[in-house]
Amino acid sequence: MELLLLSNSTAPGRKYLEHALDALVEVLAGRDEVVFVPYALADHDGYTEQVRTALEPLGVRVTGAHTAPDALRGAPAIFVGGGNTFRLLRTLQLSGDLDVIRERVRGGTPYVGSSAGTNLAGPSVRTTNDMPIVQPPSFASLGLVPFQINPHYLDPDPSSTHQGETRERRITEFLEENDVPVLGIREGTWLRRSGETLTLGGISAGARLFRRGAAPAEVASGTDLSELLRITARFDVRQ
């Protein structure tokens, strides 16, 4: 599989996708067309046009999945955009396109995900930050990697007066119920999978790896994380 899983699509002071153009060129090498999945936002046409504007300078044509019913079945590459993860997952499950994407990507079609699209790459969306504004048939997603991802990961701020739970607390609660590593990828970082090799890329902010029964571990950008591709996810196993 060829995957590029972005934590975010827009970096401060940069245009849409500008911070990740080199990584996009790499994963899309030899492809001159991308089918974009805009279902995480309500404005499918506007969202697709935003992606078209960003990718056309790379010589890549963009087709919205919503404009052609069978577009995903013949897609040279697939890009699933960010927004609300639950809305995205529900739409793809009900249309049957979730299975189509999984089959295509496992067959070698490059997959780019951003934010919600990155959430979708794991076995479940249980570690998304999003509000469940709609109810999908299940939380099961693409399973393109066997571990969980938390895009937009935010570190606890000891000076904050916010009384709600931190991202770390939420992930810790997930691990109380499930034995699945969670990789919190900070803004400006991404995961790049090529075959059985998985690497953390992007800016020096890096990521944070959470495992059941262990303290969170810092992961530097550039780290080889291929061992995470060999884990077995175990859900609903409170002990």
Side-chain angles (χ1 to χ4, degrees):
M1 285 186 280
E2 295 291 332
L3 312 178
L4 177 62
L5 307 176
L6 305 170
S7 177
N8 54 297
S9 54
T10 305
R14 309 288 291 275
K15 295 179 181 178
Y16 182 78
L17 295 176
E18 185 180 10
H19 69 294
L21 288 181
D22 289 345
L24 285 162
V25 168
E26 177 186 306
V27 74
L28 297 176
R31 272 77 176 183
D32 62 0
E33 182 180 0
V34 165
V35 175
F36 178 64
V37 178
Y39 302 138
L41 294 186
D43 182 2
H44 299 163
D45 289 337
Y47 200 3
T48 301
E49 186 58 34
Q50 183 180 30
V51 176
R52 182 176 292 118
T53 299
L55 295 187
E56 279 189 342
L58 304 182
V60 177
R61 300 190 311 276
V62 176
T63 299
H66 65 296
T67 65
D70 293 325
L72 288 166
R73 294 188 181 277
I78 296 169
F79 180 9
V80 181
N84 187 276
T85 302
F86 295 98
R87 175 160 53 191
L88 171 65
L89 180 60
R90 183 177 188 272
T91 302
L92 291 173
Q93 286 177 338
L94 293 180
S95 68
D97 282 338
L98 191 72
D99 294 333
V100 174
I101 294 173
R102 183 186 301 108
E103 179 183 355
R104 294 285 298 165
V105 176
R106 288 182 176 176
T109 300
Y111 177 95
V112 178
S114 177
S115 187
T118 290
N119 278 322
L120 217 65
S124 167
V125 299
R126 297 189 196 193
T127 52
T128 180
N129 305 314
D130 297 332
M131 181 180 291
I133 61 173
V134 295
Q135 183 168 309
S138 81
F139 292 155
S141 45
L142 290 169
L144 303 178
V145 296
F147 58 93
Q148 291 292 118
I149 305 172
N150 179 249
H152 308 287
Y153 178 76
L154 290 174
D155 295 287
D157 179 2
S159 65
S160 175
T161 59
H162 175 60
Q163 298 300 303
E165 67 271 28
T166 62
R167 196 70 52 78
E168 179 178 328
R169 179 66 248 171
R170 290 176 175 175
I171 294 174
T172 299
E173 290 171 349
F174 168 83
L175 291 171
E176 291 169 352
E177 303 287 343
N178 308 279
D179 188 2
V180 190
V182 182
L183 188 66
I185 55 176
R186 297 184 175 99
E187 297 279 86
T189 66
W190 55 75
L191 289 169
R192 177 73 172 91
R193 177 175 184 174
S194 183
E196 294 306 310
T197 300
L198 181 73
T199 308
L200 180 68
I203 66 172
S204 61
R208 208 162 186 225
L209 181 60
F210 296 81
R211 295 181 187 265
R212 194 176 196 186
E218 285 294 318
V219 180
S221 291
T223 298
D224 186 325
L225 293 169
S226 303
E227 59 96 10
L228 288 178
L229 299 178
R230 298 185 285 273
I231 67 98
T232 299
R234 299 174 64 238
F235 290 94
D236 303 315
V237 290
R238 178 192 277 198
Q239 295 177 348

PDB file of all heavy atoms in Angstrom, residues 167-187:
ATOM      1  N   ARG A 167      -6.462  15.773  25.629  1.00  0.00           N
ATOM      2  CA  ARG A 167      -6.371  14.722  24.623  1.00  0.00           C
ATOM      3  C   ARG A 167      -5.703  13.472  25.213  1.00  0.00           C
ATOM      4  O   ARG A 167      -6.116  12.341  24.952  1.00  0.00           O
ATOM      5  CB  ARG A 167      -5.568  15.244  23.435  1.00  0.00           C
ATOM      6  CG  ARG A 167      -5.698  14.447  22.169  1.00  0.00           C
ATOM      7  CD  ARG A 167      -7.060  14.596  21.550  1.00  0.00           C
ATOM      8  NE  ARG A 167      -7.484  15.975  21.353  1.00  0.00           N
ATOM      9  CZ  ARG A 167      -7.077  16.790  20.366  1.00  0.00           C
ATOM     10  NH1 ARG A 167      -6.224  16.361  19.479  1.00  0.00           N
ATOM     11  NH2 ARG A 167      -7.547  18.018  20.260  1.00  0.00           N
ATOM     12  N   GLU A 168      -4.703  13.682  26.051  1.00  0.00           N
ATOM     13  CA  GLU A 168      -4.028  12.557  26.696  1.00  0.00           C
ATOM     14  C   GLU A 168      -4.997  11.755  27.560  1.00  0.00           C
ATOM     15  O   GLU A 168      -4.974  10.517  27.566  1.00  0.00           O
ATOM     16  CB  GLU A 168      -2.857  13.057  27.548  1.00  0.00           C
ATOM     17  CG  GLU A 168      -2.120  11.955  28.278  1.00  0.00           C
ATOM     18  CD  GLU A 168      -0.935  12.464  29.080  1.00  0.00           C
ATOM     19  OE1 GLU A 168      -0.314  13.451  28.650  1.00  0.00           O
ATOM     20  OE2 GLU A 168      -0.632  11.858  30.138  1.00  0.00           O
ATOM     21  N   ARG A 169      -5.865  12.460  28.287  1.00  0.00           N
ATOM     22  CA  ARG A 169      -6.831  11.777  29.151  1.00  0.00           C
ATOM     23  C   ARG A 169      -7.808  10.943  28.320  1.00  0.00           C
ATOM     24  O   ARG A 169      -8.135   9.808  28.667  1.00  0.00           O
ATOM     25  CB  ARG A 169      -7.598  12.828  29.967  1.00  0.00           C
ATOM     26  CG  ARG A 169      -8.670  12.292  30.904  1.00  0.00           C
ATOM     27  CD  ARG A 169      -8.075  11.467  32.017  1.00  0.00           C
ATOM     28  NE  ARG A 169      -8.431  10.073  31.872  1.00  0.00           N
ATOM     29  CZ  ARG A 169      -7.909   9.100  32.595  1.00  0.00           C
ATOM     30  NH1 ARG A 169      -6.995   9.359  33.510  1.00  0.00           N
ATOM     31  NH2 ARG A 169      -8.278   7.858  32.402  1.00  0.00           N
ATOM     32  N   ARG A 170      -8.260  11.491  27.216  1.00  0.00           N
ATOM     33  CA  ARG A 170      -9.201  10.760  26.361  1.00  0.00           C
ATOM     34  C   ARG A 170      -8.566   9.496  25.787  1.00  0.00           C
ATOM     35  O   ARG A 170      -9.198   8.440  25.724  1.00  0.00           O
ATOM     36  CB  ARG A 170      -9.673  11.655  25.214  1.00  0.00           C
ATOM     37  CG  ARG A 170     -10.587  12.776  25.655  1.00  0.00           C
ATOM     38  CD  ARG A 170     -10.942  13.667  24.485  1.00  0.00           C
ATOM     39  NE  ARG A 170     -11.915  14.686  24.859  1.00  0.00           N
ATOM     40  CZ  ARG A 170     -12.330  15.640  24.065  1.00  0.00           C
ATOM     41  NH1 ARG A 170     -11.839  15.715  22.825  1.00  0.00           N
ATOM     42  NH2 ARG A 170     -13.218  16.525  24.463  1.00  0.00           N
ATOM     43  N   ILE A 171      -7.320   9.596  25.351  1.00  0.00           N
ATOM     44  CA  ILE A 171      -6.639   8.429  24.785  1.00  0.00           C
ATOM     45  C   ILE A 171      -6.384   7.396  25.878  1.00  0.00           C
ATOM     46  O   ILE A 171      -6.511   6.184  25.646  1.00  0.00           O
ATOM     47  CB  ILE A 171      -5.335   8.854  24.085  1.00  0.00           C
ATOM     48  CG1 ILE A 171      -5.671   9.717  22.866  1.00  0.00           C
ATOM     49  CG2 ILE A 171      -4.517   7.638  23.672  1.00  0.00           C
ATOM     50  CD1 ILE A 171      -4.464  10.323  22.175  1.00  0.00           C
ATOM     51  N   THR A 172      -6.048   7.856  27.075  1.00  0.00           N
ATOM     52  CA  THR A 172      -5.862   6.937  28.202  1.00  0.00           C
ATOM     53  C   THR A 172      -7.147   6.168  28.483  1.00  0.00           C
ATOM     54  O   THR A 172      -7.127   4.954  28.740  1.00  0.00           O
ATOM     55  CB  THR A 172      -5.415   7.708  29.458  1.00  0.00           C
ATOM     56  OG1 THR A 172      -4.160   8.341  29.190  1.00  0.00           O
ATOM     57  CG2 THR A 172      -5.271   6.764  30.646  1.00  0.00           C
ATOM     58  N   GLU A 173      -8.285   6.843  28.419  1.00  0.00           N
ATOM     59  CA  GLU A 173      -9.567   6.172  28.622  1.00  0.00           C
ATOM     60  C   GLU A 173      -9.832   5.146  27.516  1.00  0.00           C
ATOM     61  O   GLU A 173     -10.362   4.064  27.778  1.00  0.00           O
ATOM     62  CB  GLU A 173     -10.683   7.207  28.674  1.00  0.00           C
ATOM     63  CG  GLU A 173     -10.658   8.059  29.929  1.00  0.00           C
ATOM     64  CD  GLU A 173     -11.622   9.229  29.890  1.00  0.00           C
ATOM     65  OE1 GLU A 173     -12.165   9.520  28.807  1.00  0.00           O
ATOM     66  OE2 GLU A 173     -11.829   9.854  30.943  1.00  0.00           O
ATOM     67  N   PHE A 174      -9.468   5.486  26.282  1.00  0.00           N
ATOM     68  CA  PHE A 174      -9.600   4.516  25.187  1.00  0.00           C
ATOM     69  C   PHE A 174      -8.797   3.261  25.493  1.00  0.00           C
ATOM     70  O   PHE A 174      -9.272   2.127  25.286  1.00  0.00           O
ATOM     71  CB  PHE A 174      -9.115   5.149  23.876  1.00  0.00           C
ATOM     72  CG  PHE A 174      -8.949   4.164  22.748  1.00  0.00           C
ATOM     73  CD1 PHE A 174     -10.036   3.773  21.982  1.00  0.00           C
ATOM     74  CD2 PHE A 174      -7.702   3.616  22.459  1.00  0.00           C
ATOM     75  CE1 PHE A 174      -9.886   2.854  20.946  1.00  0.00           C
ATOM     76  CE2 PHE A 174      -7.542   2.696  21.427  1.00  0.00           C
ATOM     77  CZ  PHE A 174      -8.640   2.312  20.681  1.00  0.00           C
ATOM     78  N   LEU A 175      -7.591   3.427  26.010  1.00  0.00           N
ATOM     79  CA  LEU A 175      -6.719   2.278  26.280  1.00  0.00           C
ATOM     80  C   LEU A 175      -7.176   1.469  27.495  1.00  0.00           C
ATOM     81  O   LEU A 175      -6.762   0.323  27.660  1.00  0.00           O
ATOM     82  CB  LEU A 175      -5.276   2.747  26.465  1.00  0.00           C
ATOM     83  CG  LEU A 175      -4.612   3.267  25.186  1.00  0.00           C
ATOM     84  CD1 LEU A 175      -3.273   3.916  25.502  1.00  0.00           C
ATOM     85  CD2 LEU A 175      -4.431   2.146  24.168  1.00  0.00           C
ATOM     86  N   GLU A 176      -8.020   2.041  28.333  1.00  0.00           N
ATOM     87  CA  GLU A 176      -8.614   1.268  29.425  1.00  0.00           C
ATOM     88  C   GLU A 176      -9.579   0.213  28.891  1.00  0.00           C
ATOM     89  O   GLU A 176      -9.803  -0.813  29.530  1.00  0.00           O
ATOM     90  CB  GLU A 176      -9.340   2.204  30.393  1.00  0.00           C
ATOM     91  CG  GLU A 176      -8.409   3.099  31.195  1.00  0.00           C
ATOM     92  CD  GLU A 176      -9.155   4.181  31.949  1.00  0.00           C
ATOM     93  OE1 GLU A 176     -10.378   4.342  31.746  1.00  0.00           O
ATOM     94  OE2 GLU A 176      -8.505   4.888  32.751  1.00  0.00           O
ATOM     95  N   GLU A 177     -10.138   0.474  27.707  1.00  0.00           N
ATOM     96  CA  GLU A 177     -11.139  -0.414  27.119  1.00  0.00           C
ATOM     97  C   GLU A 177     -10.619  -1.219  25.930  1.00  0.00           C
ATOM     98  O   GLU A 177     -11.244  -2.205  25.531  1.00  0.00           O
ATOM     99  CB  GLU A 177     -12.353   0.408  26.662  1.00  0.00           C
ATOM    100  CG  GLU A 177     -13.002   1.233  27.751  1.00  0.00           C
ATOM    101  CD  GLU A 177     -13.782   0.384  28.745  1.00  0.00           C
ATOM    102  OE1 GLU A 177     -14.097  -0.784  28.431  1.00  0.00           O
ATOM    103  OE2 GLU A 177     -14.072   0.887  29.852  1.00  0.00           O
ATOM    104  N   ASN A 178      -9.501  -0.795  25.353  1.00  0.00           N
ATOM    105  CA  ASN A 178      -8.997  -1.403  24.120  1.00  0.00           C
ATOM    106  C   ASN A 178      -7.480  -1.552  24.187  1.00  0.00           C
ATOM    107  O   ASN A 178      -6.785  -0.701  24.754  1.00  0.00           O
ATOM    108  CB  ASN A 178      -9.349  -0.518  22.918  1.00  0.00           C
ATOM    109  CG  ASN A 178     -10.821  -0.172  22.864  1.00  0.00           C
ATOM    110  OD1 ASN A 178     -11.638  -0.962  22.402  1.00  0.00           O
ATOM    111  ND2 ASN A 178     -11.184   1.017  23.359  1.00  0.00           N
ATOM    112  N   ASP A 179      -6.972  -2.612  23.607  1.00  0.00           N
ATOM    113  CA  ASP A 179      -5.528  -2.831  23.566  1.00  0.00           C
ATOM    114  C   ASP A 179      -5.044  -2.592  22.135  1.00  0.00           C
ATOM    115  O   ASP A 179      -4.798  -3.522  21.370  1.00  0.00           O
ATOM    116  CB  ASP A 179      -5.207  -4.260  24.021  1.00  0.00           C
ATOM    117  CG  ASP A 179      -3.712  -4.494  24.182  1.00  0.00           C
ATOM    118  OD1 ASP A 179      -2.933  -3.547  23.972  1.00  0.00           O
ATOM    119  OD2 ASP A 179      -3.324  -5.636  24.501  1.00  0.00           O
ATOM    120  N   VAL A 180      -4.967  -1.316  21.784  1.00  0.00           N
ATOM    121  CA  VAL A 180      -4.557  -0.893  20.442  1.00  0.00           C
ATOM    122  C   VAL A 180      -3.685   0.354  20.596  1.00  0.00           C
ATOM    123  O   VAL A 180      -4.131   1.332  21.191  1.00  0.00           O
ATOM    124  CB  VAL A 180      -5.769  -0.532  19.548  1.00  0.00           C
ATOM    125  CG1 VAL A 180      -5.325  -0.337  18.097  1.00  0.00           C
ATOM    126  CG2 VAL A 180      -6.867  -1.570  19.649  1.00  0.00           C
ATOM    127  N   PRO A 181      -2.451   0.350  20.092  1.00  0.00           N
ATOM    128  CA  PRO A 181      -1.638   1.565  20.170  1.00  0.00           C
ATOM    129  C   PRO A 181      -2.330   2.740  19.489  1.00  0.00           C
ATOM    130  O   PRO A 181      -3.040   2.568  18.488  1.00  0.00           O
ATOM    131  CB  PRO A 181      -0.353   1.185  19.422  1.00  0.00           C
ATOM    132  CG  PRO A 181      -0.296  -0.307  19.483  1.00  0.00           C
ATOM    133  CD  PRO A 181      -1.725  -0.767  19.450  1.00  0.00           C
ATOM    134  N   VAL A 182      -2.115   3.940  20.032  1.00  0.00           N
ATOM    135  CA  VAL A 182      -2.652   5.168  19.454  1.00  0.00           C
ATOM    136  C   VAL A 182      -1.487   6.115  19.197  1.00  0.00           C
ATOM    137  O   VAL A 182      -0.720   6.425  20.112  1.00  0.00           O
ATOM    138  CB  VAL A 182      -3.663   5.851  20.393  1.00  0.00           C
ATOM    139  CG1 VAL A 182      -4.238   7.105  19.734  1.00  0.00           C
ATOM    140  CG2 VAL A 182      -4.773   4.892  20.796  1.00  0.00           C
ATOM    141  N   LEU A 183      -1.359   6.569  17.958  1.00  0.00           N
ATOM    142  CA  LEU A 183      -0.314   7.523  17.612  1.00  0.00           C
ATOM    143  C   LEU A 183      -0.950   8.903  17.466  1.00  0.00           C
ATOM    144  O   LEU A 183      -1.755   9.127  16.556  1.00  0.00           O
ATOM    145  CB  LEU A 183       0.384   7.124  16.315  1.00  0.00           C
ATOM    146  CG  LEU A 183       1.619   7.947  15.950  1.00  0.00           C
ATOM    147  CD1 LEU A 183       2.740   7.705  16.971  1.00  0.00           C
ATOM    148  CD2 LEU A 183       2.104   7.635  14.545  1.00  0.00           C
ATOM    149  N   GLY A 184      -0.608   9.799  18.371  1.00  0.00           N
ATOM    150  CA  GLY A 184      -1.080  11.173  18.295  1.00  0.00           C
ATOM    151  C   GLY A 184      -0.110  11.976  17.437  1.00  0.00           C
ATOM    152  O   GLY A 184       1.025  12.217  17.860  1.00  0.00           O
ATOM    153  N   ILE A 185      -0.538  12.365  16.239  1.00  0.00           N
ATOM    154  CA  ILE A 185       0.352  13.095  15.333  1.00  0.00           C
ATOM    155  C   ILE A 185       0.033  14.585  15.402  1.00  0.00           C
ATOM    156  O   ILE A 185      -1.096  15.007  15.234  1.00  0.00           O
ATOM    157  CB  ILE A 185       0.288  12.553  13.888  1.00  0.00           C
ATOM    158  CG1 ILE A 185      -1.130  12.543  13.325  1.00  0.00           C
ATOM    159  CG2 ILE A 185       0.868  11.148  13.843  1.00  0.00           C
ATOM    160  CD1 ILE A 185      -1.198  12.097  11.861  1.00  0.00           C
ATOM    161  N   ARG A 186       1.061  15.363  15.694  1.00  0.00           N
ATOM    162  CA  ARG A 186       0.880  16.796  15.896  1.00  0.00           C
ATOM    163  C   ARG A 186       0.707  17.523  14.563  1.00  0.00           C
ATOM    164  O   ARG A 186       1.021  16.992  13.498  1.00  0.00           O
ATOM    165  CB  ARG A 186       2.065  17.366  16.679  1.00  0.00           C
ATOM    166  CG  ARG A 186       2.200  16.769  18.091  1.00  0.00           C
ATOM    167  CD  ARG A 186       3.323  17.436  18.868  1.00  0.00           C
ATOM    168  NE  ARG A 186       3.386  16.958  20.241  1.00  0.00           N
ATOM    169  CZ  ARG A 186       4.241  16.024  20.683  1.00  0.00           C
ATOM    170  NH1 ARG A 186       5.096  15.460  19.840  1.00  0.00           N
ATOM    171  NH2 ARG A 186       4.232  15.656  21.948  1.00  0.00           N
ATOM    172  N   GLU A 187       0.199  18.748  14.641  1.00  0.00           N
ATOM    173  CA  GLU A 187       0.010  19.576  13.461  1.00  0.00           C
ATOM    174  C   GLU A 187       1.325  19.693  12.679  1.00  0.00           C
ATOM    175  O   GLU A 187       2.393  19.889  13.265  1.00  0.00           O
ATOM    176  CB  GLU A 187      -0.443  20.978  13.858  1.00  0.00           C
ATOM    177  CG  GLU A 187      -1.786  21.017  14.568  1.00  0.00           C
ATOM    178  CD  GLU A 187      -2.951  20.954  13.605  1.00  0.00           C
ATOM    179  OE1 GLU A 187      -3.344  19.825  13.251  1.00  0.00           O
ATOM    180  OE2 GLU A 187      -3.460  22.005  13.214  1.00  0.00           O
TER     181      GLU A 187
END
